[in-house]
């Protein structure tokens, strides 16, 4: 029987990918932790969402570092979700939030989330190509 870890693309096959993935998710978690008080001041639900992202991103970083099957998928959910919510909050808007596009922690987080998604996709495509051989 094939294990579940072989069915889910696990990018961190190399030590460098593992360290980059865990590092990027750790930074994303840290950014969300630092801005919790500011956003909770706008609306309590925003503080809860930022705390949830901190926890999820931190768990993902640990999972990636330990090379578990769930680390990378959790990371792409956390990074992708945060990226989409940033765009949504600046276009459609969120109740109690009136932020501009160029909020420094937000822009840095977007860059890190895009870098993580790129690393994830690159690894998933490489793994798929190697399995096809």
């Amino acid at each position: 029987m094939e294990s579940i870890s072989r069915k889910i693309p696990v990018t961190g096959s190399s030590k460098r990918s593992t360290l980059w993935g865990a590092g990027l998710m750790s930074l994303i978690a840290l950014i969300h932790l630092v801005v919790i008080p500011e956003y909770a001041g706008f609306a309590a639900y925003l503080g809860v969402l930022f705390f949830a992202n901190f926890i999820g991103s931190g768990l993902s970083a640990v999972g990636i570092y330990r090379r578990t099957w769930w680390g990378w998928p959790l990371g792409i959910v956390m990074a992708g979700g945060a990226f989409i919510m940033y765009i949504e909050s600046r276009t459609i808007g969120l109740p109690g939030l009136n932020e501009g596009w160029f909020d420094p922690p937000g822009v840095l987080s977007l860059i890190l989330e895009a870098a993580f998604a790129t690393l994830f996709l690159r690894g998933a495509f490489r793994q798929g190509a190697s399995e096809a051989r």
Side-chain angles (χ1 to χ4, degrees):
M1 180 185 285
E2 193 172 344
S3 72
I4 193 165
S5 64
R6 293 186 183 179
K7 295 179 183 178
I8 296 175
V10 179
T11 309
S13 59
S14 75
K15 190 172 191 174
R16 186 171 46 182
S17 294
T18 299
L19 292 176
W20 271 103
L24 287 168
M25 288 312 297
S26 295
L27 290 172
I28 291 167
L30 183 61
I31 289 170
H32 285 87
L33 175 65
V34 168
V35 299
I36 287 172
E38 176 186 353
Y39 283 89
F42 294 133
Y45 79 94
L46 291 171
V48 171
L49 291 174
F50 275 81
F51 183 72
N53 189 286
F54 163 69
I55 296 295
S57 296
L59 286 173
S60 170
V62 170
I64 291 168
Y65 185 76
R66 296 176 77 191
R67 296 180 182 223
T68 60
W69 69 267
W70 51 264
W72 287 95
L74 178 59
I76 200 67
V77 167
M78 300 312 299
F83 191 95
I84 290 168
M85 287 305 294
Y86 184 90
I87 302 298
E88 189 273 334
S89 69
R90 272 52 177 192
T91 54
I92 298 169
L94 293 173
L97 180 64
N98 188 13
E99 285 285 304
W101 278 93
F102 301 109
D103 175 42
V107 172
L108 178 58
S109 186
L110 283 179
I111 293 167
L112 296 173
E113 290 152 2
F116 181 83
T118 301
L119 184 65
F120 175 83
L121 292 173
R122 190 180 107 216
F125 284 123
R126 281 189 181 171
Q127 182 175 345
S130 69
E131 287 178 2
R133 289 184 209 166

